[in-house]
């Protein structure tokens, strides 16, 4: 059999990860088998094992794709920064968002019972936190805000607030608008907002 090109192999790996994500969202982590993933991707078990040594590795790759979908464009004001998270809270009741949260909690639950963490697990969250750090740095450099706790700690706390607000909304009967308002207050409590000026220039 001729050697596959790097681009082919990367495309196959991504296709398997995409299939894994869809099956995991539908069935949950515990009910999804490697055969389910292979069937959805249209590949053999052997092809899957070329790319992923374990089911956890395939799940992590699926989660990485899902996080790519969560990343938004750079913001140009404090108001845009806060608004970037509004939709995630407002969408917390959607079927796909609930399934995302279920998958996330199942995966973390598995990790709590095992000392092994798949390679790349920590980097997944570091990449997400990097988005917060980049936006806060942009706004701080523009003079729109200052960060009494520093950019690293503020980015970490903001990420935790946003994640917590999304999960809280899924578990409580708090009205959506009230949840969004509470989140905005929490985000603002950790910074000093100086102006509403836009970063972009005409």
């Amino acid at each position: 059999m001729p050697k596959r090109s790097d681009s082919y192999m990367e495309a196959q790996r991504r296709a398997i990860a995409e299939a894994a994500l869809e099956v995991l969202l539908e069935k949950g982590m515990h009910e999804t088998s490697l055969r389910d993933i292979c069937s959805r991707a249209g590949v053999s078990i052997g092809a899957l094992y070329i790319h992923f040594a374990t089911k956890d590795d395939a799940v992590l790759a699926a989660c990485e794709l899902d996080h790519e979908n969560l990343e938004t464009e750079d913001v140009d004001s404090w108001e845009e920064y806060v608004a970037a998270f509004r939709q995630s809270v407002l969408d917390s009741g959607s079927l796909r968002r609930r399934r995302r949260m279920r998958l996330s909690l199942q995966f973390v639950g598995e990790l709590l019972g095992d000392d092994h963490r798949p390679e790349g697990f920590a980097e997944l969250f570091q990449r997400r936190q990097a988005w917060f750090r980049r936006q806060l740095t942009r706004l701080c450099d523009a003079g729109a805000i200052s960060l009494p706790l520093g950019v690293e700690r503020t980015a970490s706390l903001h990420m935790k607030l946003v994640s917590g607000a999304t999960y809280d909304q899924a578990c409580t009967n708090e009205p959506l608008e009230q949840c969004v308002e509470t989140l905005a207050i929490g985000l603002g409590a950790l910074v000093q907002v100086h102006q509403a000026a836009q970063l972009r220039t005409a």
Side-chain angles (χ1 to χ4, degrees):
M1 175 182 285
K3 185 179 184 304
R4 303 289 191 181
S5 68
D6 290 343
S7 60
Y8 173 89
M9 296 302 286
E10 180 55 33
Q12 186 180 61
R13 185 183 192 281
R14 186 175 182 90
I16 294 170
E18 289 172 348
L21 177 59
E22 293 308 312
V23 176
L24 287 160
L25 289 174
E26 287 175 15
K27 302 181 72 170
M29 184 167 174
H30 304 300
E31 298 301 319
T32 295
S33 69
L34 290 178
R35 290 195 181 280
D36 292 330
I37 296 170
C38 290
S39 177
R40 182 66 60 94
V43 300
S44 67
I45 287 285
L48 184 143
Y49 277 124
I50 289 173
H51 299 284
F52 305 108
T54 67
K55 180 179 173 181
D56 280 352
D57 291 334
V59 172
L60 180 61
C63 291
E64 287 174 347
L65 286 178
D66 200 35
H67 275 249
E68 282 181 16
N69 297 333
L70 293 176
E71 292 176 3
T72 58
E73 296 179 358
D74 288 340
V75 300
D76 295 313
S77 69
W78 174 251
E79 289 74 18
E80 284 187 16
Y81 179 80
V82 174
F85 311 116
R86 176 183 177 84
Q87 202 58 46
S88 68
V89 175
L90 293 177
D91 287 347
S92 61
S94 72
L95 180 59
R96 187 174 181 87
R97 185 56 65 103
R98 290 198 314 270
R99 287 178 171 176
R100 273 196 69 256
M101 288 186 281
R102 176 186 65 181
L103 177 58
S104 176
L105 289 171
Q106 287 175 338
F107 190 51
V108 170
E110 288 293 316
L111 293 173
L112 288 173
D114 190 352
D115 290 336
H116 167 72
R117 288 189 176 181
E119 185 177 342
F121 179 77
E123 290 79 2
L124 176 64
F125 290 91
Q126 289 168 3
R127 190 170 70 239
R128 180 67 174 147
Q129 187 168 319
W131 184 90
F132 286 81
R133 186 168 55 249
R134 186 172 71 247
Q135 306 316 312
L136 291 169
T137 299
R138 281 169 52 82
L139 295 175
C140 191
D141 289 348
I145 62 172
S146 59
L147 303 170
L149 299 178
V151 67
E152 292 294 334
R153 184 168 293 178
T154 306
S156 177
L157 289 168
H158 276 196
M159 184 170 144
K160 290 174 174 62
L161 281 171
V162 170
S163 297
T166 304
Y167 287 112
D168 182 66
Q169 179 53 42
C171 299
T172 68
N173 291 321
E174 182 179 13
L176 284 172
E177 289 300 329
Q178 183 177 328
C179 185
V180 169
E181 181 182 353
T182 301
L183 173 61
I185 291 169
L187 294 172
L190 298 170
V191 305
Q192 292 177 350
V193 180
H194 300 306
Q195 59 187 28
Q198 299 286 322
L199 270 67
R200 290 196 185 107
T201 55

